Amino acid sequence: MMIYLDNNATTPLAPEVREAMLPHLFDQYGNPSSPHALGMAAKQAVGEARGRVAGLIGAKSAEILFTASATEANHTAVLGTLRALSEAASPRRHLVTTAVEHPSTLMLVKDLERQGWRVTILPVDGTGSIALPDLRAAVTHETALVSVMWANNETGTVLPVAEAAGIARSAGALFHTDAVQAASRLPINVGTVNADLLTLSAHKMHGPKGIGALYVSKGTPFAPLIHGHQERRRRGGTENVPAIVGFGAAAVLAQASVADTAGIAALRDRLESGILTRWPGAQVNGAGAQRLPNTTNIRFADPQGRPVDAEELLMRLDRAGIAVSMGAACASGGNEPSHVLTAMGLSGAEAAASLRFSLSRYSSAPEVDAVLTELPALHARLAA
């Protein structure tokens, strides 16, 4: 069996989620917009799932809209609010985000800059976090939206979203956070953070792929990108009922996981310290920052202290039945080094010498020990 330590890319479907979805893949196949019994049953199932997703983040059901992915949710958050502000003739034409955002946000913001929007991309320090004075200096009366991710997908670094939201609101700007990696790993309450918009994804919390969600706080300026009567006219298209039901079931499990992260944090620490002990010269990217309890990103060096080829190391681990990654799954296949790690000050070679290990509720001590048993042999091959 594969030892799977790439849970920030995707997570295995939980058995409870699969069981919740199955009836809606077969017998319960109604369209939620249909007025007959099958349609009404589907509508009720979607409503119940919406309530469960809302409960995960302390929101109201009416503030949750479902999308086909977190990427779509991020685009909807940014473009939907900007479109609404433009339609209201708002003079605000400035966006603020960070250099370590997920590509679905960062690439979108850069495209908006090419279209004439003024954009500020905040730098990060060596741990991957922003400096709040930089954010205060960047946000002005012209700022329409500030988008700061809750936790980074590559390093696990947790960013100061509550403080960032406060800075945005004090200037009259809207605040969005991509909470895809944080959900199920950290407690989230939109009331405490005062976020206007928040992005979630089911497949990062043992739910199905192909379903995301966007929290839109009541009163937030918003215009749909896809027109239709579904989702309270905020996102057209027939609802993906099985996936939505799966999202709801995954949200219930996620709430339980948030209440007990000590176990996974202990496993992560065991893996991290074991790697540093067995691989001289290895370093943790983002060490010293508050990080997700399941994530470690480690930079490897050869016996001479030179950065190793992490892609080769990854392939060797894969042949040994161990799945890890070099960073964001959506960026794999490219030749560019991680934008997150280079923004933190690493050279291209150092970024290319880094691997991400991300655990889940199903990870175990024997799996961690198997990885630690394999690594010395790989180190010895590099030394030969």
Side-chain angles (χ1 to χ4, degrees), residues 100-245:
V100 295
E101 295 298 308
H102 189 273
S104 62
T105 298
L106 199 55
M107 293 173 70
L108 171 61
V109 168
K110 290 180 178 179
D111 185 62
L112 288 168
E113 186 174 30
R114 289 189 289 269
Q115 296 177 36
W117 287 83
R118 189 165 68 86
V119 170
T120 299
I121 298 177
L122 298 172
V124 296
D125 60 22
T127 70
S129 190
I130 59 171
L132 292 174
D134 289 347
L135 178 59
R136 289 191 187 94
V139 176
T140 73
H141 66 279
E142 296 180 350
T143 305
L145 179 70
V146 175
S147 183
V148 177
M149 70 190 332
W150 199 301
N152 186 262
N153 49 303
E154 294 194 31
T155 62
T157 296
V158 178
L159 282 79
V161 289
E163 296 86 347
I167 292 169
R169 282 177 169 267
S170 68
L174 297 171
F175 183 76
H176 165 248
T177 183
D178 177 343
V180 164
Q181 296 294 341
S184 83
R185 295 160 186 162
L186 296 174
I188 293 177
N189 188 295
V190 291
T192 302
V193 172
N194 284 324
D196 298 292
L197 305 119
L198 182 146
T199 299
L200 297 169
S201 180
H203 80 102
K204 307 294 187 178
M205 57 177 80
H206 303 288
K209 298 177 182 67
I211 185 70
L214 178 65
Y215 160 79
V216 183
S217 176
K218 183 179 180 181
T220 298
F222 181 82
L225 304 188
I226 304 173
H227 292 278
H229 69 270
Q230 295 88 355
E231 297 299 296
R232 300 167 68 93
R233 297 185 179 275
R234 296 173 300 180
R235 198 272 188 186
T238 302
E239 297 90 343
N240 184 350
V241 178
I244 289 171
V245 169

Side-chain angles (χ1 to χ4, degrees), residues 319-378:
R319 287 195 289 271
I322 301 166
V324 299
S325 70
M326 291 182 65
C330 58
S332 65
N335 294 320
E336 295 297 318
S338 161
H339 74 281
V340 172
L341 297 182
T342 54
M344 291 166 58
L346 275 66
S347 68
E350 290 172 328
S354 301
L355 291 179
R356 179 185 68 186
F357 301 78
S358 48
L359 289 69
S360 82
R361 59 183 296 175
Y362 299 121
S363 300
S364 66
E367 289 180 329
V368 166
D369 292 342
V371 175
L372 297 178
T373 298
E374 186 67 28
L375 280 172
L378 297 180

Side-chain angles (χ1 to χ4, degrees), residues 226-368:
I226 304 173
H227 292 278
H229 69 270
Q230 295 88 355
E231 297 299 296
R232 300 167 68 93
R233 297 185 179 275
R234 296 173 300 180
R235 198 272 188 186
T238 302
E239 297 90 343
N240 184 350
V241 178
I244 289 171
V245 169
F247 202 161
V252 172
L253 294 177
Q255 281 189 290
S257 296
V258 168
D260 183 22
T261 59
I264 192 170
L267 272 182
R268 188 275 309 273
D269 292 347
R270 178 174 179 163
L271 174 66
E272 187 173 276
S273 62
I275 291 174
L276 298 182
T277 299
R278 291 162 174 78
W279 195 294
Q283 299 181 58
V284 176
N285 296 322
Q290 180 189 358
R291 290 178 292 151
L292 294 173
N294 77 314
T295 306
T296 184
N297 190 302
I298 296 182
R299 183 167 76 252
F300 293 88
D302 68 15
Q304 287 72 45
R306 298 169 299 195
V308 305
D309 181 352
E311 185 173 6
E312 179 183 353
L313 184 56
L314 182 152
M315 297 309 296
R316 289 180 181 271
L317 287 169
D318 185 48
R319 287 195 289 271
I322 301 166
V324 299
S325 70
M326 291 182 65
C330 58
S332 65
N335 294 320
E336 295 297 318
S338 161
H339 74 281
V340 172
L341 297 182
T342 54
M344 291 166 58
L346 275 66
S347 68
E350 290 172 328
S354 301
L355 291 179
R356 179 185 68 186
F357 301 78
S358 48
L359 289 69
S360 82
R361 59 183 296 175
Y362 299 121
S363 300
S364 66
E367 289 180 329
V368 166

